[in-house]
Amino acid sequence: MPDAARRLKSLAEQLLGAPLPVRIRAWDGSEAGPPGAPTLVVRNRRALRRLMWKPGELGLARAWVAGDLDVEGDLYAALDRLAGFIWQREEDARTLRESLRDPEFRSAARSLIGLAAPFLPPPPPQEEMRRRGTLHLHTKGSDRQAISHHYDVGNDFYELVLGPSMVYSCAYWESEDSTLESAQRDKLELISRKLDLKPGMRLLDVGCGWGSMAIHAAREHGVTVVGVTLSREQAAYGRKRIAEEGLTDRIEIRVQDYRDVRDGPYDAISSIGMAEHVGAERYLEYAHDLHALLKPGGRLLNHQIARRPQADESSYTVDDFIDAYVFPGGELAPVGSTVGLLERAGFEVRDVEAIREHYALTLRRWVANLEAHWKEGQRLTSPGRARIWRLYMAASALAFEHNHIGVNQVLAVKTSEVGASGMPLRARDWS
């Protein structure tokens, strides 16, 4: 009688010391676990080998991307249950080594090895970013490589996920009944109002994506815009959109590192969902560079994901799955750290708006778009890449909902030599 699922359930509970919160279906058709719960489908023994060779999140990620693991039922519910069972237990290689001193743990591990046999390490999925020593140094070369890995996966795929707005950052929801497109338009308009954009002004859009902010600012507010991106696919797509809008005389899209922009001063700078790629070691340099590019009285709108602060900040590590498959070299910082670095660079921070719940709503709409066009999404990129995006967006939505991460719009100004800000007296009366 097939019993792989029963054995897996028993071993998982023995190894992790808690009741399994999801149901398991194994490669032999057997099932075990709480009835009615989301089902973790273990398609083959290779999934176990991946976990044995890379215990923890990276092993799970490799099994998911390769299709060795799947979830049947509500993906959000499964991730919510598994988060407390696995990820939030803060297990790491050191903890596992200590656990191996326990005879019962060793016995369970041997049983798992037997179930996973033959015990050879499977190769990582082709979608995994190869680790390089310079990745987290954020050199210009490593940043180009990381941005290409994430963004140069096909504009058609991003159209499917993001919808017509082609905005890849948190939308601004007037209500949960709003459409994704109207919420993204409202976000772009909110940023424009915070920057007090007016005809004749020059805007620098750092990390301009597919040109949506540049188009909105030029079309709705009459400004001229320079947008910079490291993604050649984004730049080509943005230029095509700009030509179709008849705005080529007012918008220039460059494939350029923000560190190489030298044609300031600008009246305003928008940085929307870009600063997460800068890195902790480079953030002060980033802030100094943007400060130098602004006119006195010029405003910066920095829209950035933030993590919760840790008691020991030196212990912060980048999420293995995100680093290997989604945003290589990406780093999150607490919003207080970001504000402090902007101030050290000379900015006066005038407003911080937390819009965490808005990103959860945005991500759920993106997941729904991908799931509604699942076969097409796989065809436009690869089955593994589509699985990556579905998992990371669904898990990120839960992380925002549970306040594990947040997102903030920080409005800062470069004051004049005598301290004039040009800001109105009333808070949040942007113009």
Side-chain angles (χ1 to χ4, degrees):
M1 179 178 177
D3 69 342
R6 179 190 60 78
R7 292 175 64 191
L8 285 173
K9 174 181 177 295
S10 175
L11 288 170
E13 292 177 342
Q14 190 174 354
L15 289 167
L16 295 172
L20 190 68
V22 296
R23 194 164 178 79
I24 287 182
R25 181 184 304 134
W27 57 88
D28 62 356
S30 61
E31 294 191 21
T39 301
L40 183 66
V41 182
V42 185
R43 297 196 184 282
N44 49 56
R45 297 175 190 267
R46 186 171 58 244
L48 305 185
R49 295 198 290 275
R50 293 190 187 279
L51 287 168
M52 295 302 296
W53 282 97
K54 281 291 181 182
E57 185 171 317
L58 188 56
L60 286 168
R62 287 176 172 176
W64 173 270
V65 175
D68 302 329
L69 283 180
D70 205 350
V71 167
E72 207 170 86
D74 189 328
L75 178 60
Y76 295 102
L79 292 174
D80 226 1
R81 293 183 182 210
L82 288 170
F85 187 67
I86 301 174
W87 291 286
Q88 292 175 16
R89 296 171 60 83
E90 298 181 351
E91 296 281 3
D92 57 20
R94 178 185 55 79
T95 307
L96 288 171
R97 284 195 298 270
E98 292 174 356
S99 298
L100 286 171
R101 298 171 185 168
D102 182 348
E104 291 187 7
F105 187 96
R106 289 200 303 271
S107 174
R110 283 194 296 270
S111 298
L112 189 58
I113 290 171
L115 196 58
F119 197 58
L120 296 173
Q126 63 180 2
E127 292 84 0
E128 184 169 315
M129 178 78 165
R130 291 182 61 191
R131 310 298 179 92
R132 285 178 169 81
T134 61
L135 195 61
H136 288 280
L137 296 179
H138 292 276
T139 64
K140 292 177 183 179
S142 68
D143 281 354
R144 280 195 302 272
Q145 179 192 20
I147 292 299
S148 178
H149 176 87
H150 185 74
Y151 293 103
D152 293 341
V153 300
N155 292 325
D156 291 343
F157 176 75
Y158 276 105
E159 278 186 335
L160 184 149
V161 174
L162 304 180
S165 67
M166 285 300 281
V167 180
Y168 192 26
S169 55
C170 174
Y172 197 77
W173 299 84
E174 296 295 337
S175 77
E176 294 187 24
D177 296 327
S178 300
T179 65
L180 176 60
E181 286 68 41
S182 67
Q184 291 290 15
R185 184 177 60 248
D186 288 345
K187 187 270 297 295
L188 298 177
E189 181 58 22
L190 176 67
I191 291 171
S192 299
R193 288 192 290 109
K194 288 182 176 181
L195 291 172
D196 194 22
L197 298 181
K198 292 184 172 65
M201 292 175 64
R202 292 185 78 214
L203 169 70
L204 174 64
D205 188 25
V206 182
C208 64
W210 294 271
S212 298
M213 178 63 197
I215 291 170
H216 181 89
R219 185 182 60 211
E220 304 299 329
H221 297 275
V223 303
T224 59
V225 188
V226 171
V228 295
T229 176
L230 294 178
S231 167
R232 295 188 179 278
E233 288 195 19
Q234 283 186 332
Y237 187 98
R239 289 166 185 153
K240 182 175 182 293
R241 292 177 72 194
I242 289 160
E244 291 170 351
E245 291 276 351
L247 294 170
T248 53
D249 59 329
R250 281 191 277 165
I251 305 174
E252 177 189 2
I253 301 294
R254 304 173 184 166
V255 179
Q256 186 178 37
D257 194 288
Y258 71 92
R259 289 164 283 198
D260 293 329
V261 178
R262 295 289 183 266
D263 60 345
Y266 288 86
D267 298 285
I269 298 176
S270 53
S271 179
I272 309 168
M274 178 272 177
E276 297 88 342
H277 297 290
V278 170
E281 294 299 319
R282 299 283 185 178
Y283 203 93
L284 186 57
E285 176 186 357
Y286 158 83
H288 274 297
D289 285 348
L290 299 193
H291 187 268
L293 286 166
L294 276 174
K295 292 179 178 178
R299 300 183 190 180
L300 164 69
L301 191 288
N302 189 75
H303 176 117
Q304 181 177 343
I305 298 172
R307 61 176 171 83
R308 302 293 296 172
Q310 297 183 354
D312 177 12
E313 279 293 317
S314 66
S315 67
Y316 168 67
T317 56
V318 178
D319 180 281
D320 283 339
F321 169 60
I322 297 295
D323 196 41
Y325 290 101
V326 185
F327 291 107
E331 296 177 60
L332 302 183
V335 64
S337 300
T338 296
V339 168
L341 289 168
L342 290 172
E343 289 181 329
R344 283 179 59 188
F347 282 106
E348 181 185 17
V349 173
R350 300 293 301 226
D351 185 79
V352 179
E353 183 175 6
I355 53 174
R356 172 174 61 83
E357 293 87 351
H358 294 251
Y359 218 157
L361 290 170
T362 305
L363 284 155
R364 282 182 176 266
R365 297 298 177 92
W366 290 343
V367 172
N369 284 346
L370 179 57
E371 290 179 341
H373 304 90
W374 183 244
K375 289 185 178 179
E376 185 181 1
Q378 294 181 86
R379 180 182 61 80
L380 289 173
T381 177
S382 72
R385 184 82 59 185
R387 291 173 65 81
I388 291 166
W389 256 245
R390 182 174 178 240
L391 177 62
Y392 112 78
M393 291 190 299
S396 296
L398 292 171
F400 282 107
E401 288 169 357
H402 295 326
N403 194 24
H404 297 151
I405 53 177
V407 61
N408 306 278
Q409 288 191 353
V410 180
L411 180 64
V413 63
K414 177 178 180 175
T415 59
S416 72
E417 290 184 2
V418 296
S421 69
M423 299 287 294
L425 294 176
R426 290 176 59 88
R428 298 197 169 174
D429 181 6
W430 309 119
S431 58

